[in-house]
Amino acid sequence: MGRLDGKVALITGAGGGMGRVAAERFAAEGAKVAVVDVEANQEVVDAITAAGGEAIALAADVRSFEQVSAAVDATVDAFGGLHVLYNNAGIMPPDDGATLDTPESTWDVVMEVNVQGVWLCCKYGIPAIIASGGGSIINVSSLVAIMGSATAQIAYTASKGGVLAMSREMAIEHAKDGVRINSLCPGPI
């Protein structure tokens, strides 16, 4: 019996890295998992089902409210609810550097994916979690949100600070709804 038996989790950025590890771990703990990435990743779903879990692959760009809402709806349709939202999708482009060197276009896309993406997923995911009786949201921030970065990456650092602050605000706002919201701040991976 797993710690997440009977729960449904939607994980963004689940096509690889920390998101994939989370998807596989959540499934091993009994959750039904929506594996969400920019492109649907059947390989992750196949690994989960081969290990005895249940999962679906969904494509969604977290910058698009329409795609995010479609992914949440597809998850609820497939599994009957949503209990865990793990907002892991994020980018750190190679030209994100020092304050004076980072192109505006890089700043914009990092903010769209890393901050707006988390907000849009929460904006649509929270009502589904409430309708399912409550649950948990995990927003992936970074240690750089707390300490800054030894390597210049101004947009990424600012975006992860935004995720951390937004998570605090959402946690206060939705505690009354039975939705627990936390932010992970991992160091270098």
Side-chain angles (χ1 to χ4, degrees):
M1 189 152 130
R3 295 184 299 171
L4 296 174
D5 285 346
K7 302 297 182 188
V8 176
L10 185 155
I11 302 174
T12 66
M18 289 179 12
R20 179 179 182 152
V21 170
E24 292 174 349
R25 183 66 193 168
F26 280 38
E29 289 291 342
K32 297 174 184 174
V33 179
V35 174
V36 180
D37 216 316
V38 176
E39 295 180 12
N41 194 307
Q42 191 60 41
E43 178 187 336
V44 177
V45 170
D46 291 345
I48 289 170
T49 57
E54 193 172 343
I56 57 171
L58 300 171
D61 183 334
V62 296
R63 298 175 294 175
S64 166
F65 185 72
E66 293 76 20
Q67 291 182 37
V68 166
S69 61
V72 171
D73 288 345
T75 301
V76 171
D77 290 346
F79 298 130
L82 180 63
H83 305 100
V84 180
L85 176 60
Y86 191 109
N87 290 312
N88 175 70
I91 61 169
M92 188 173 55
D95 63 346
D96 178 7
T99 303
L100 304 179
D101 301 328
T102 299
E104 290 175 31
S105 60
T106 298
W107 174 275
D108 290 344
V109 74
V110 170
M111 293 301 160
E112 288 173 359
V113 173
N114 294 5
V115 181
Q116 179 178 307
V118 169
W119 172 63
L120 290 176
C121 288
C122 289
K123 182 177 175 80
Y124 206 77
I126 287 171
I129 293 171
I130 293 169
S132 300
S136 178
I137 296 175
I138 302 115
N139 295 325
V140 177
S141 179
S142 172
L143 183 63
V144 300
I146 300 165
M147 300 183 61
S149 176
T151 304
Q153 52 186 33
I154 190 65
Y156 181 81
T157 299
S159 73
K160 293 304 184 173
V163 169
L164 186 57
M166 187 168 46
S167 298
R168 287 186 194 117
E169 177 69 18
M170 290 177 180
I172 293 166
E173 183 179 347
H174 293 287
K176 68 185 182 326
D177 300 318
V179 180
R180 185 177 64 254
I181 302 173
N182 292 292
S183 185
L184 295 178
C185 296
I189 303 296

